[in-house]
Amino acid sequence: MVDVDASGAIAVQRRRTWMAGGVLLLTSVLTMAVNNMPGAWLGALPGLLFDAALVILAIGLGRGGSVTARRPMGTGALIAFAVWDLVWPWVKGLVPYPATPDDDYFATMQLLGITGQVVSLILAAVAVTQIGRLRVVPRPWNWAPLWAFAAVVLCQVLQSVLVVASPTAGQDVLIAISGFFVLIDVLATAFLGVLAIVLATRRDPASVVVY
């Protein structure tokens, strides 16, 4: 069914939702930067802001604002990713740290880390693919989340390859490599935040939503 928004209500819902989501994404980036400053500590606030932005963009402040058109697959994947991102660090923290070095503990933590990354990748891949396919976000920007996701995944793969390929690299080199790829991750989030705000300020003369 094609629902033509004659009153402009959908356009208003989109602008309101995308502005809120974009501001939260940028704020998460800024608070993350503050977290890395000496003597500053905001705890889990950056992650909470990031996850809140994803939930708002998924559900929308009004049905028309949802970047996934509230379709079950895309909306569910995006919300599940946000919840997983929020809960998973606490789940790992439930594993008690041993009083003495324990190979089983480190093997368990490695397995948990891999499991967490795989689940996150699957949920994120489904979400960004659905955003692109549903085209609630104007083209070509409906594929922007996929671009950002691909950049982050590529950086993670490259980081793993470089660490394995350079076993003799010094600690400073490894820290520099890790810092560079973290910067790419942060820039990807900032890009999506800025894009959401820019799209929110654009006039949408023909609001058409397909359900």
Side-chain angles (χ1 to χ4, degrees):
M1 178 180 70
V2 177
D3 180 16
V4 180
D5 180 33
S7 66
I10 291 176
V12 171
Q13 292 168 4
R14 288 180 180 176
R15 287 196 290 267
R16 184 171 54 191
T17 299
W18 299 353
M19 179 63 72
V23 169
L24 284 172
L25 287 175
L26 286 181
T27 306
S28 73
V29 171
L30 293 176
T31 53
M32 186 183 301
V34 171
N35 249 358
N36 291 323
M37 293 180 180
W41 177 245
L42 298 177
L45 182 59
L48 289 173
L49 292 171
F50 176 78
D51 296 328
L54 297 187
V55 173
I56 288 175
L57 291 170
I59 299 176
L61 301 178
R63 186 181 184 90
S66 170
V67 295
T68 56
R70 291 191 180 176
R71 293 286 185 87
M73 180 178 292
T75 306
L78 194 54
I79 293 175
F81 176 81
V83 173
W84 183 260
D85 182 64
L86 179 64
V87 171
W88 187 240
W90 299 96
V91 173
K92 291 194 298 183
L94 295 177
V95 180
Y97 191 84
T100 58
D102 188 335
D103 291 340
D104 290 339
Y105 168 80
F106 293 110
T108 299
M109 293 305 294
Q110 185 177 25
L111 178 60
L112 288 175
I114 294 173
T115 301
Q117 288 184 337
V118 169
V119 173
S120 295
L121 288 174
I122 293 173
L123 293 174
V126 172
V128 298
T129 301
Q130 288 299 303
I131 292 172
R133 292 184 60 189
L134 292 171
R135 294 187 294 182
V136 174
V137 179
R139 290 184 292 179
W141 306 115
N142 54 315
W143 293 111
L146 180 59
W147 303 339
F149 172 70
V152 170
V153 172
L154 179 61
C155 286
Q156 290 179 348
V157 172
L158 288 176
Q159 182 177 2
S160 299
V161 171
L162 289 174
V163 169
V164 172
S166 306
T168 59
Q171 187 70 19
D172 293 340
V173 174
L174 295 178
I175 291 176
I177 292 174
S178 177
F180 173 75
F181 290 125
V182 168
L183 176 62
I184 298 298
D185 194 354
V186 170
L187 290 177
T189 302
F191 164 69
L192 293 178
V194 171
L195 177 62
I197 292 173
V198 171
L199 291 177
T201 60
R202 291 176 56 181
R203 304 295 294 180
D204 187 6
S207 297
V208 179
V209 179
V210 179
Y211 293 108

